Amino acid sequence: MSDEPPYLSSGLTESNYELLVRAVVDYAIYMLDTQGRILTWNTGAERIKGYRAEEVLGQHLEMFFPQDDRREGKAQQLIATALREGRAQDEGWRVRKDGSRFWALAVLDAIHDDAGNLIGLAKITRDLTERHEAQLHLDEVRAQLFQAQKMEALGQLTGGMAHDFNNLLTVIIGSSDLALRSQDPERIRLLLESIHEAGRRGRELTRNLLTFARRREPEAHTLDLVSTLEASTGLFRQALPKHIELDLDVATVHPVRVDANQLEMALLNLIFNARDAMPDGGHILLRAENRRMSGEWENLHGDFVLISVTDNGPGIEPEIQARIFEPFFTTKKFGSGTGLGLSQVYGFVRNAGGSVRVESQPGHGTRMTLYLPAAF
Ligand SMILES: Nc1ncnc2c1ncn2[C@@H]1O[C@H](COP(=O)(O)OP(=O)(O)OP(=O)(O)O)[C@@H](O)[C@H]1O
Ligand SMILES: [Mg+2]
C-alpha cells in the first residue's frame, strides 16, 4: 500500500484531491483551525462569498456573519458546538464581500489526524438563497390564500348576521316602545332586561366576527375546546339558512394546541360543505370527544380529541372520495366552489400533528373527523 490517506482510492493522490476540492464551485469548502481562523479556500467559497483566498486566509469565520449574529457570538457558538459534538449545522443569513446577503446552509465537522488529535474543522456552505426566497414566497401566497378564503367566508357570515342584527334591533325597538308606554315598574324591568340581553348578544356577534376577520400570524395556543366550539357554533348558526339545523355535542374534552382561527376556518369549511350538500335542508352535528388511539387510524398513537362534522346529505361517491382533499378539486359549478376548503382542512390538521378522516356512503350522509393530538 502507498502512504495515501485511507479516504483516497487508488489513483487519486492527495494533491489531486485538493485540486478537486478547490475546483468545486457550488459549495464553499474550506478548513478552519480550532479557533475558527480560515486555513484553506476553494472556488465555491470565492464564488459564494466574493472574497479571494488572500483576503480571508487567517481571518476569523465570524467575518461572514451579519452584525446582529456577530454581537451574539454566533460563529463562536457554532465552533464550540462542532468541537464539543464533532458536528454543527446552521441555516441563516451571511454577508458577501459586497455587503449583500445570502441564505446559507452551513455544516462544520471536526477533523482529526490519524492519531486522533483534533486538527481543525471542515466547513461546507451552500447558498440556498433562491430556495429560501421561494419558500418565503410560498408562505406569503399561502397566507394570502388563507386571508382570501377568510374574507369569502366572512362575506357569507355577515350576510347571516345582518339578518340576526335586524332581529335584535326589532326586539330592542319593540321592547323600548312598550316600556315607554307602560306604567308598571315590574313590566318595565322585564322589558329592560330583554333590551339588555339583545344588546349583549349583538355585542357578542360583532366581537366574534372581528376576531375572525383580524389578520394575524397563525399561532398555536392551548385551547379549551368547549368554549371555542360554543362560540363558533353561535357564529356558524348565523351563516346557515333556516332549514339547516346545527347541533353541538361537546362534553369535557382534552385541550388541544392549535391556532384558534385556523380551527374555526376548518370547521367552517366542513360546515359549509355540509350546507352545500343539502340544498333542501338537513341536519348537521358538530361533535367533540376524547379517544385514546393505538394505530386504528393512520397509525396515530396516544390521546386525541376527535372533532367531527356529520351531515345527513347525499354522501360522497367512492370514486371521488380519494380526491376531495386535493387543492382545487370541486364538483361545484364554475364560480361557486374553489375546491380549496378541504385542502385548508388537510393542511391545518397536518400542521397540528393530526389527521382527517372521511366516512361517507352515497345516500347516507357524510362524517368528516379531525383527529387532533391532546395537549396536556
Ligand atoms: N359533506 C359533504 N357532502 C357531500 N360532498 C362533499 C362534502 N364535503 C365535501 N364534498 C365534496 O368534496 C368536494 C371538495 O370540497 P372542498 O371543500 O375542498 O371544495 P368545494 O366545497 O367544492 O369548494 P369551496 O370549499 O372552495 O367552496 C366538494 O366539491 C364536494 O364534491
Ligand atoms: Mg368547501
Side-chain angles (χ1 to χ4, degrees):
M1 276 301 285
S2 69
D3 53 2
E4 284 166 2
Y7 52 83
L8 298 178
S9 71
S10 57
L12 190 58
T13 63
E14 191 155 16
S15 69
N16 272 342
Y17 192 66
E18 258 186 62
L19 282 175
L20 172 78
V21 168
R22 239 186 286 145
V24 167
V25 290
D26 287 335
Y27 294 79
I29 304 178
Y30 52 100
M31 267 193 77
L32 305 172
D33 67 15
T34 52
Q35 308 297 307
R37 282 183 299 251
I38 298 160
L39 298 177
T40 67
W41 200 238
N42 78 337
T43 312
E46 180 173 335
R47 193 184 65 86
I48 293 176
K49 303 191 198 246
Y51 291 98
R52 303 182 55 80
E54 59 269 25
E55 295 173 296
V56 294
L57 292 179
Q59 303 255 36
H60 195 272
L61 173 69
E62 127 179 305
M63 68 184 287
F64 308 124
F65 284 68
Q67 275 299 331
D68 291 357
D69 289 347
R70 270 198 234 184
R71 222 169 291 128
E72 285 176 26
K74 226 174 148 194
Q76 284 79 359
Q77 286 165 23
L78 211 60
I79 290 164
T81 311
L83 292 176
R84 194 175 59 242
E85 292 169 17
R87 177 170 244 255
Q89 186 167 326
D90 180 50
E91 216 179 303
W93 291 112
R94 299 287 190 276
V95 185
R96 294 194 183 91
K97 184 182 173 187
D98 66 7
S100 62
R101 285 178 171 220
F102 67 100
W103 186 263
L105 174 67
V107 184
L108 267 172
D109 278 292
I111 308 271
H112 299 88
D113 64 13
D114 290 343
N117 304 312
L118 183 68
I119 52 172
L121 296 159
K123 175 91 173 20
I124 302 184
T125 304
R126 281 180 71 190
D127 178 354
L128 294 185
T129 311
E130 273 177 26
R131 202 168 87 184
H132 184 65
E133 277 171 357
Q135 186 59 42
L136 290 181
H137 182 63
L138 197 66
D139 290 347
E140 174 63 17
V141 170
R142 278 217 188 95
Q144 281 173 4
L145 197 63
F146 179 63
Q147 186 64 10
Q149 248 199 338
K150 212 163 69 174
M151 284 303 135
E152 152 90 33
L154 198 61
Q156 302 204 35
L157 288 173
T158 33
M161 277 181 58
H163 176 258
D164 219 65
F165 260 114
N166 228 9
N167 286 346
L168 294 174
L169 290 175
T170 309
V171 171
I172 291 173
I173 292 167
S175 303
S176 50
D177 261 351
L178 291 173
L180 284 171
R181 275 190 265 122
S182 172
Q183 305 291 328
D184 176 0
E186 179 55 17
R187 184 162 158 71
I188 292 175
R189 204 181 61 80
L190 286 173
L191 288 165
L192 280 176
E193 264 173 20
S194 71
I195 293 171
H196 182 85
E197 174 60 20
R200 205 190 49 75
R201 290 231 343 107
R203 188 180 60 187
E204 202 139 284
L205 279 180
T206 42
R207 193 178 286 162
N208 286 343
L209 203 61
L210 289 173
T211 330
F212 187 80
R214 202 175 317 132
R215 174 167 191 173
R216 49 173 195 77
E217 291 299 309
E219 218 181 293
H221 286 289
T222 306
L223 274 196
D224 164 27
L225 279 173
V226 180
S227 56
T228 309
L229 292 182
E230 272 167 3
S232 306
T233 306
L235 189 64
F236 300 156
R237 284 203 182 106
Q238 318 304 323
L240 292 170
K242 287 287 162 280
H243 55 279
I244 291 192
E245 259 176 79
L246 171 62
D247 278 328
L248 175 66
D249 175 11
V250 47
T252 32
V253 284
H254 301 312
V256 292
R257 218 182 140 64
V258 295
D259 177 83
N261 239 339
Q262 292 190 346
L263 171 66
E264 195 163 49
M265 187 75 198
L267 294 175
L268 193 63
N269 278 321
L270 295 179
I271 285 168
F272 280 179
N273 280 350
R275 174 201 63 188
D276 296 344
M278 306 187 294
D280 300 323
H283 185 249
I284 304 174
L285 177 64
L286 174 59
R287 184 169 186 179
E289 61 194 312
N290 290 333
R291 179 79 51 87
R292 174 154 297 163
M293 302 291 295
S294 36
E296 302 87 336
W297 171 249
E298 296 220 322
N299 209 18
L300 298 179
H301 287 266
D303 284 305
F304 280 76
V305 178
L306 274 51
I307 306 178
S308 59
V309 174
T310 309
D311 66 55
N312 61 350
I316 308 175
E317 296 290 337
E319 308 86 81
I320 69 164
Q321 268 185 39
R323 301 198 52 202
I324 56 175
F325 294 102
E326 285 173 18
F328 306 112
F329 177 83
T330 179
T331 56
K332 290 167 192 172
K333 66 172 195 297
F334 186 73
S336 54
T338 61
L340 288 170
L342 288 178
S343 139
Q344 184 272 336
V345 173
Y346 186 85
F348 163 71
V349 291
R350 284 285 162 198
N351 258 339
S355 173
V356 52
R357 177 181 199 173
V358 47
E359 293 162 280
S360 181
Q361 273 183 4
H364 294 280
T366 302
R367 174 158 61 222
M368 293 280 188
T369 309
L370 312 181
Y371 289 69
L372 299 173
F376 296 108

